[in-house]
Amino acid sequence: MVAGGCAMESGSGGSTVGKSLAELTPDGLETLKLSFCLFLIFASILGTLLVYRVVLHSVRYIRTLTCLNNDTQRYFAKPNLTFANVKKHLLYAPLFRVRHNREFQLSTAMSMGNLPTRLHALLLVGYLGTNIAFCVISISWKERQAVFLPQLRNRTGILSVVNMIPLFIMGGRNNPLIVILHIPYDTFNLLHRWLGRVAVLQAVCHTLAWAILLVNKSGWSALSASVSHTPLILTGLVGVFALLAILVQSHSILRHAFYETFLHLHIAIVMVAVVGLWLHLKGLRQKKLVVVVVTIWIIQRLWRMAMFIYRNVSKGKSTAVVEVLPGDAMRVTVNMARPWTFKPGQHMFLYMPSVGLWTSHPFSVVWSGNEDDSNLEKGLAISQQDAFERQKTTMSLVIRRRTGFTESLYRKVESAVNGRLVVTAYAEGPYGGIHCLHSYGTVLMFAGGVGITHQVSFVRDLVAGFANGTVAARKLVLVWIIQSPEHLEWIRPWMTEILAMDKRREVLRILLFVTRPRSTKEIQSPSATVQMFPGRPNVETLIALEAENQVGAMAVTVCGTGSLSDDVRRAVRRRQTRSNIDLIEESFSW
C-alpha cells in the first residue's frame, strides 16, 4: 500500500481522497501543499542547473571565438578565485580527502560501490532531510495513535508516489535531462538509486502506519481478514513487497556481481510494483500521479524502440566484425545500417543476439567513419540527401575481456577461424558526448588501459580543429598508461591516422607509460612527440608542468581506473587557485 489517504474503511480510519479541495481535512490540505512543495523544489533545482548550464555554455562559446586567432590566451589562463574555490571545495571535492571513484571491492566481481562527491552528498542529505521533514511536519504527535497514525499513513503514501515521478525520469538511459543539463548519466543513476530508497521507505512507513492502526483498533484477525478480502489492501501489499524486493536486489554487491540478472529482474519487479500500485489506487486521486509515472516510462521505452529500429533497420542490416587483440581485448567494427552522426565522447549500447540474446552493454566509440556505398554506379548524379542516406557508417570499439557478455564473446571469437568473427549486431544510441573541449587552449588527457577508447575521439577532433582553425587548442597532451607495449595494438590503426594528420606535430604530444615491461628494450620512444616511459606516471608532476606553461584555459580529462581518477582529481584541486583548470571525469557506474 503505497498511496496516501488510500486505506479505506477496512479498519483503516477513513480517507480524504476523492473529495474536492473544499472538503479536504486540514491534514489533507497540508499534505497537498507539501506534495506541491516537493515538486517545486525539484523544479527549482532543475531551473538553477539550467541557468548555470546556459551561462557556462555562453562563456565557453565566447572564449572559443575570442581564442581562435589568439596563440597566447593569457586572459583565460587566470582563474576566477571565487569560482576556483567553489570547484576546489565543492564541485570537484570528494566526500572526505581523496577517495571518490575508487570502489570498495570485496572481490573482482563484488563491489560495495564508491563514495559520492561532496556536492552529491549535500544534495542527497538535503533531499533526504526534506523528505523526513515533510513526512513528520504538522502531524499531531501529541494526540492518540488513532489521530496521528492516519495522518502519517496518508502523508508518507502520497510522498512516496510523488517521488516516483523523478525516480522514473532519472532511471532511463535516454533521460532528456542528460542532454539538456549536460549532467552525466552516472550522476542521475546515483540520484535514481537514492530516490528509490526514499520512496520504498516511505511506502513501508505508510504500510506500517495502516497496520498498527488496524491492529490496535480491531486486532490481528482484522488485519488478516483485510488482506484476504479487500482488493485495495492486497494490491497495496503486493506493491510494497515488490518495492522491498527491489531494495534488496539492487544492493551494490548483488548489482555488480550479477548485473545482467539484476537488470532484467529489476525491470520485471518494477512492473509488478507499478501494477500493484495502479490497482491499489483505483478510484483515488493519487492515481493521476501513477498515470504520470507510467506515461514517462512508456515514452522513454517507445522513443528507445523507435530510435533502435531507425538505426538498425534499413535496406541492409547492422553487422559487426570482431577480432582478437593482444592483452585479452577485442576490436569490434560495427557496420551500421544507416548513417550515424558521431560526436567525441559518445558511447552506444551493443546487442549481439548470438552471444548475449537480448542483453545490451555500453561501450565507448573509439572511432567512426563514413564511406560511400560501393554498390553505387559511378558517375550517377544523386541528390545530397540521397548521398547521405547511401553512406555506410562504421563504429569501432575496443572491448576488454571481463566476465559475462565479454567473456562469452571473447571465447567465441578466439575459437573462430583466424580469430575473426562476423555476427549480426545492433547498436542503440548515441548516448553521452556532453563535453566539448573546443574552448580550451591546453588539454591534458589521462587514459588508463582501455580508457583510451574515450580519449581517442577527442584527440582526433582537436587535432583536426587545430589544423582548420576552429578550436582554441594550442597544446594537447595524451597520457596513456598501459601494462604492456602489446596493448598499443588496440588503437594502432586509428593512432596511425592521427599521427599523419595535418599540423599534428605542432599541437599533440603523446606520453606512454608501461607499468609491466618485460625488458627495458621494449621502452623505446619513436619520436620527440611520442615518448615511452617505464612505470607509472607522477600525475601531480605532469599536471604541474603543463599548468606552468599552459595556454588559455586548461582542461584535464581522465578515463581509467578509480585510483587514477582520484589522483587526477586531487592534483587538479590543488592547482585551482593558481590557474584556470577544469576537471572532466568519464566513468560508467551501475
Side-chain angles (χ1 to χ4, degrees):
M1 16 196 358
V2 187
C6 58
M8 303 297 284
E9 185 56 36
S10 299
S12 61
S15 170
T16 59
V17 181
K19 300 177 182 179
S20 65
L21 289 179
E23 296 174 310
L24 286 177
T25 63
D27 174 64
L29 285 172
E30 185 68 19
T31 299
L32 193 63
K33 289 178 183 178
L34 292 174
S35 301
F36 179 76
C37 284
L38 199 56
F39 280 125
L40 192 60
I41 289 171
F42 284 128
S44 299
I45 293 173
L46 293 178
T48 302
L49 291 173
L50 182 60
V51 171
Y52 171 77
R53 177 53 52 193
V54 169
V55 171
L56 200 61
H57 176 78
S58 301
V59 168
R60 290 174 177 172
Y61 179 73
I62 293 171
R63 187 169 69 197
T64 302
L65 295 179
T66 306
C67 295
L68 291 181
N69 298 311
N70 185 348
D71 291 332
T72 58
Q73 305 174 23
R74 291 191 182 92
Y75 174 80
F76 297 105
K78 301 174 182 178
N80 179 295
L81 293 180
T82 301
F83 190 46
N85 278 298
V86 170
K87 291 191 292 183
K88 179 178 181 179
H89 299 292
L90 184 63
L91 299 183
Y92 300 161
L95 182 58
F96 299 116
R97 297 183 62 186
V98 176
R99 189 166 191 158
H100 162 57
N101 207 34
R102 185 158 60 98
E103 294 181 335
F104 294 93
Q105 289 192 310
L106 301 179
S107 69
T108 54
M110 300 178 69
S111 170
M112 291 289 291
N114 48 27
L115 292 173
T117 64
R118 201 166 293 170
L119 176 61
H120 291 160
L122 288 174
L123 285 173
L124 293 175
V125 170
Y127 166 74
L128 183 60
T130 299
N131 273 272
I132 291 174
F134 281 12
C135 285
V136 301
I137 194 172
S138 300
I139 300 292
S140 304
W141 297 105
K142 295 182 180 180
E143 300 291 338
R144 62 188 188 281
Q145 285 188 349
V147 175
F148 73 77
L149 281 178
Q151 296 175 353
L152 182 64
R153 178 201 63 205
N154 296 351
R155 182 75 55 79
T156 53
I158 290 178
L159 292 180
S160 178
V161 181
V162 168
N163 278 312
M164 289 184 184
I165 294 177
L167 171 69
F168 273 68
I169 293 175
M170 295 180 183
R173 64 178 63 164
N174 57 338
N175 174 5
L177 296 178
I178 295 175
V179 178
I180 296 172
L181 302 178
H182 282 204
I183 294 175
Y185 172 78
D186 268 17
T187 298
F188 283 112
N189 199 18
L190 172 69
L191 296 174
H192 170 76
R193 293 197 296 269
W194 281 98
L195 276 163
R197 288 163 187 160
V198 171
V200 171
L201 292 177
Q202 287 171 332
V204 170
C205 185
H206 169 77
T207 305
L208 290 176
W210 163 80
I212 293 171
L213 181 65
L214 182 57
V215 170
N216 287 346
K217 181 179 180 180
S218 306
W220 289 98
S221 58
L223 179 66
S224 177
S226 181
V227 172
S228 303
H229 301 98
T230 310
L232 179 141
I233 303 302
L234 179 60
T235 54
L237 286 175
V238 168
V240 167
F241 282 115
L243 291 175
L244 285 172
I246 293 172
L247 186 66
V248 173
Q249 67 103 205
S250 61
H251 190 278
S252 181
I253 293 178
L254 298 176
R255 194 172 68 247
H256 285 80
F258 312 102
Y259 178 70
E260 293 174 9
T261 303
F262 151 77
L263 182 60
H264 294 94
L265 190 59
H266 187 75
I267 294 173
I269 301 176
V270 166
M271 292 177 70
V272 172
V274 171
V275 170
L277 180 59
W278 180 277
L279 297 174
H280 179 61
L281 295 174
K282 185 178 180 180
L284 304 180
R285 186 194 305 274
Q286 280 69 31
K287 191 172 182 178
K288 294 179 180 179
L289 296 175
V290 185
V291 171
V292 176
V293 169
V294 173
T295 302
I296 291 170
W297 189 84
I298 290 175
I299 290 174
Q300 287 181 334
R301 291 284 163 172
L302 288 178
W303 178 251
R304 280 180 55 190
M305 187 182 299
M307 292 305 299
F308 180 85
I309 293 172
Y310 174 77
R311 296 289 183 196
N312 296 283
V313 178
S314 185
K315 295 178 181 178
K317 63 178 182 178
S318 299
T319 59
V321 179
V322 190
E323 304 166 88
V324 170
L325 296 174
D328 283 349
M330 296 164 283
R331 181 186 296 123
V332 181
T333 304
V334 183
N335 299 294
M336 301 296 300
R338 290 181 185 271
W340 184 342
T341 302
F342 171 75
K343 292 195 302 182
Q346 286 187 323
H347 65 273
M348 69 180 187
F349 283 80
L350 182 67
Y351 297 78
M352 286 187 179
S354 62
V355 180
L357 298 178
W358 59 81
T359 60
S360 64
H361 301 266
F363 299 104
S364 294
V365 178
V366 61
W367 198 264
S368 68
N370 290 309
E371 44 187 55
D372 294 330
D373 193 335
S374 59
N375 294 325
L376 290 178
E377 295 182 18
K378 293 184 178 180
L380 184 65
I382 58 175
S383 67
Q384 186 176 358
Q385 178 65 24
D386 289 339
F388 176 76
E389 291 179 352
R390 293 181 182 182
Q391 282 185 335
K392 293 295 182 181
T393 299
T394 59
M395 295 287 174
S396 298
L397 323 168
V398 173
I399 301 175
R400 192 80 187 270
R401 178 187 186 181
R402 301 297 185 192
T403 58
F405 170 79
T406 57
E407 172 70 17
S408 300
L409 179 60
Y410 188 88
R411 288 182 178 179
K412 194 163 186 174
V413 179
E414 198 175 31
S415 62
V417 179
N418 299 323
R420 189 174 186 271
L421 180 69
V422 180
V423 295
T424 298
Y426 305 102
E428 181 188 342
Y431 296 112
I434 61 175
H435 299 295
C436 179
L437 305 180
H438 291 182
S439 68
Y440 295 95
T442 303
V443 180
L444 176 57
M445 299 181 178
F446 288 90
V450 77
I452 191 65
T453 57
H454 178 74
Q455 306 291 32
V456 167
S457 58
F458 283 106
V459 174
R460 178 193 191 186
D461 178 61
L462 291 174
V463 172
F466 174 78
N468 297 330
T470 57
V471 298
R474 298 298 183 270
K475 292 178 63 179
L476 175 58
V477 181
L478 174 63
V479 180
W480 187 19
I481 306 157
I482 53 179
Q483 295 178 348
S484 168
E486 66 180 8
H487 294 176
L488 296 173
E489 189 61 33
W490 295 353
I491 61 168
R492 186 179 299 279
W494 309 307
M495 192 52 68
T496 300
E497 260 191 70
I498 289 175
L499 294 178
M501 290 176 71
D502 187 32
K503 297 184 179 181
R504 187 272 308 174
R505 291 180 179 273
E506 299 177 29
V507 67
L508 175 63
R509 286 190 298 123
I510 301 175
L511 307 179
L512 304 170
F513 289 85
V514 183
T515 60
R516 299 177 187 175
R518 287 172 294 195
S519 68
T520 55
K521 294 180 180 179
E522 290 184 324
I523 310 301
Q524 296 181 358
S525 298
S527 67
T529 56
V530 181
Q531 297 178 299
M532 188 178 292
F533 306 92
R536 299 182 182 278
N538 186 318
V539 170
E540 191 149 357
T541 299
L542 288 175
I543 293 177
L545 287 173
E546 296 305 321
E548 289 297 330
N549 301 291
Q550 79 179 66
V551 177
M554 179 174 174
V556 179
T557 74
V558 57
C559 183
T561 62
S563 57
L564 173 63
S565 296
D566 289 347
D567 288 343
V568 171
R569 178 181 297 273
R570 175 174 56 185
V572 169
R573 288 182 64 221
R574 287 179 175 176
R575 299 199 65 87
Q576 279 303 306
T577 56
R578 304 181 196 178
S579 57
N580 187 4
I581 305 180
D582 287 342
L583 173 68
I584 299 172
E585 180 183 43
E586 178 66 21
S587 62
F588 186 87
S589 62
W590 54 83

